[in-house]
Amino acid sequence: MVDNKQPNIVFIMSDDHAAHAMSCYDSKINETPNLDRIANEGMRFDNCFCTNSICAPSRATILTGQYNHENGVRTLGDTFDSRKPTIQRELRENGYQTALIGKWHLGHGDHHDPADFDYWHIFPGQGDYHDPFMIEMGEEKQVQGYATDIVTDMSIDWIDKRDKDRPFMLMCHHKAPHRPWDPDEKHQHLYEDIDIPEPETFHDDYSGKANAAKEAKMRIERDLGLRDVKEEPPEGLSVGELKSWYYQRYIKDYLRCIASIDDNVGRLLDYLDEEGLTEDTIIVYTSDQGFFLGDHGWYDKRFMYEESLRMPFIVRYPRAIEAGSTTKDFALNVDFPETFLDFANIEIPKYMQGTSLRPVMEGKTPDNWQKSMYYRYWEHLSVEHRVGAHYGVRTHQYKLIYYYGEALGAADAVDESRTPEWELFDLEKDPYEMQSVYHDPAYVDVVTEMKEELYRLKGAVGDVD
Ligand SMILES: [Ca+2]
């Protein structure tokens, strides 16, 4: 299809929403009818991955099209230098109106506030769910209501007031469903009378994994606090019962927050229909990374394991994307900005390190499409979660992870050494990554090939540490 009209872009990103909590990704625990509309009317990516599974770094990658060693946001302790070029600057310099509403989480003040947006209205830091403080173009004030409703109201309001003669990009960034998972009134009692199924890997004892997995402080029954689960557990529960109790408390509030996102995405989709904008608008729903939903007995993210590495990524653009299509082709968060520029017919700048996903979306994936991806988590043994720094490579069949055991000067990293460890997973035989085969003699050649690919990719993206 040849069409040079510049599309509008509505980029909806939530915080910590794992793909396996969306019914279009075959969730076993909830229904998301409005999010499913985007997938049903567009394309679902089954292998979309983040290059560093944590909030601020993923956000910096999505704005710049760069890996974290290039954009400077390696850990939560780093702020973004908003003088750097970004997707919003490229679009704005080429005639787009740009706005960001909701979560920013890349720093505040000179050179850290959002830049190159015609309008921005953000939460300070993580933001609150109820009656949050917000910063509108530098001015802070409290807003009454529930964060997910507020961000949607403001998004619709901004689109409504736009200059109708020019295309726009709106980044609609929800705080939900980030910890501490405070639901709104409407969904407070959802799931009250049922038990949510526990995941298959709920009782992982980490015996098939590196010591890094045992050391992590993300265990449902041990590391969640009163603020997370909102009441003390009943007395007299066995260890197993306590774990199940914590899981139910945690997952229900998490899913209640998602139910509100789903309603609000529905509202935004209806608005685009009513305004006649649906045909001319690329609409994306994604999350800054995945999340452990009791998988391996955990909450949180950070690890390169599947549940945390995978991002939901669904996109609708009726002019170019076939309704109801799906793909297993690799897509990365670093690819998003180039994709938007490609659809907007704007030249892709050299500083961006990803690949436009437009050919995949148009059903024309080139033969030489990316078949491996590079990952790096920098925040070594941070005090709260104690996940060791690591880098790795994933292909369609295998994943190799290297816990290098050092802080290497990254902000928010703890200067404690660990013995380096490797893991290799055969994702065809072991999709839930329960048993590393790194030391299995049958995989000697695979280890060699995967290490070569790891260091090839590491070099190719310019990561020299
Ligand atoms: Ca996040």
Side-chain angles (χ1 to χ4, degrees), residues 9-13 62-63 87-88 98-102 117 151 155 169-173 340:
I9 300 162
V10 174
F11 180 79
I12 310 171
M13 180 159 68
I62 287 166
L63 296 183
I87 178 65
Q88 64 269 25
T98 56
L100 184 144
I101 294 166
F117 290 105
V151 168
S155 295
M169 177 184 72
L170 167 68
M171 305 191 99
C172 170
H173 288 189
F340 300 145

Side-chain angles (χ1 to χ4, degrees), residues 43-101:
M43 181 177 256
R44 185 190 77 210
F45 281 74
D46 289 346
N47 284 318
C48 181
F49 304 118
C50 56
T51 52
N52 181 0
S53 183
I54 192 150
C55 190
S58 179
R59 287 159 196 272
T61 291
I62 287 166
L63 296 183
T64 59
Q66 294 179 322
Y67 288 79
N68 297 138
H69 59 276
E70 292 286 341
N71 64 40
V73 184
R74 293 175 174 82
T75 73
L76 292 180
D78 293 305
T79 47
F80 180 60
D81 181 343
S82 44
R83 289 168 294 189
K84 287 180 187 290
T86 54
I87 178 65
Q88 64 269 25
R89 183 181 301 173
E90 304 296 341
L91 288 170
R92 197 181 189 202
E93 285 178 352
N94 285 279
Y96 271 72
Q97 304 159 79
T98 56
L100 184 144
I101 294 166

Side-chain angles (χ1 to χ4, degrees), residues 218-232:
M218 312 187 324
R219 293 192 202 175
I220 295 277
E221 77 283 18
R222 187 192 66 188
D223 302 319
L224 284 172
L226 183 60
R227 179 66 185 87
D228 299 312
V229 296
K230 289 109 186 167
E231 67 178 59
E232 294 286 357

Side-chain angles (χ1 to χ4, degrees), residues 15-16 55 178 288-289 301:
D15 194 343
D16 295 357
C55 190
H178 191 277
D288 55 350
Q289 9 66 209
K301 55 259 182 178

Side-chain angles (χ1 to χ4, degrees), residues 16 40 63 83 85 98 108 137 274 281 289 318 320 393 398 411 417 419 433 457:
D16 295 357
N40 294 338
L63 296 183
R83 289 168 294 189
T98 56
H108 299 291
M137 309 285 286
E274 286 156 20
T281 301
Q289 9 66 209
V393 57
Y398 299 108
S417 298
T419 306
E433 300 165 302
L457 281 176

